[in-house]
Amino acid sequence: MKEVKVRSLKLSDLEPATNYLAKSINSTSTYKHLTLKPKKIARLLSDILFDDSKCGYVALKDGKIIGMVGGYLSTMWFSDTLVLNDFGIFVDEKYRNTGVSYKLLYEFFNFGKESKANEIHFSVTAEPKYFSQLYNAFTKKFEFELMGIVLRRK
């Protein structure tokens, strides 16, 4: 099995990354009930490419995208504290628990460090069957603390 490569999002990734996210959101995410807007995804990915306050990384295996993470820097609405926030992370089910997520998150967290972010806020809105695994990884491996909870009403 060839090694997975993680790198920054490139202009040539725009179409495959848009397709990857559309497929991922529609198939495995807690947002699959929403109407998908591929143009909106493509617009965000374009913004990531040309805005230094945003980041995006792809995980590739044999030249095919198998995972992505992205985020943005902002200050808190009540403070000048600089925070790195996530847009989300997606990894093909086949490659979960193989270290792909860790490689993506390493690059994401490094962006925060290089950007001198004071904090990193990462939302976990995974399906319940994945939540405990992600929660354990974030609190133990990455030393995050639980700050709140996301509730949704349809």
Side-chain angles (χ1 to χ4, degrees), residues 12-79:
S12 58
D13 295 323
L14 195 56
E15 185 177 348
T18 298
N19 294 336
Y20 174 79
L21 285 173
K23 179 188 77 150
S24 297
I25 291 167
N26 262 347
S27 64
T28 62
S29 103
T30 55
Y31 301 113
K32 61 186 170 191
H33 68 285
L34 300 173
T35 303
L36 191 68
K37 301 285 186 186
K39 283 186 180 178
K40 198 166 186 177
I41 295 170
R43 198 172 307 121
L44 173 64
L45 295 175
S46 294
D47 288 348
I48 287 171
L49 290 171
F50 300 105
D51 185 338
D52 291 339
S53 71
K54 295 182 174 87
C55 67
Y57 300 94
V58 293
L60 301 155
K61 178 152 176 38
D62 300 324
K64 181 181 173 226
I65 296 174
I66 61 164
M68 291 185 68
V69 66
Y72 61 97
L73 294 165
S74 67
T75 55
M76 299 179 109
W77 65 271
F78 57 86
S79 162

Side-chain angles (χ1 to χ4, degrees), residues 84-96:
L84 175 60
N85 303 278
D86 70 291
F87 291 123
I89 183 169
F90 292 93
V91 174
D92 285 1
E93 285 192 81
K94 177 180 176 182
Y95 296 102
R96 292 179 187 165

Side-chain angles (χ1 to χ4, degrees), residues 102-121:
Y102 181 83
K103 288 180 178 184
L104 285 164
L105 290 170
Y106 177 83
E107 295 300 329
F108 180 77
F109 297 154
N110 196 47
F111 173 81
K113 183 178 179 181
E114 289 178 0
S115 301
K116 304 209 182 333
N118 303 101
E119 295 185 5
I120 298 172
H121 295 183

Side-chain angles (χ1 to χ4, degrees), residues 3-15:
E3 189 169 328
V4 172
K5 179 182 177 185
V6 173
R7 63 163 170 74
S8 294
L9 187 70
K10 294 181 181 177
L11 187 58
S12 58
D13 295 323
L14 195 56
E15 185 177 348

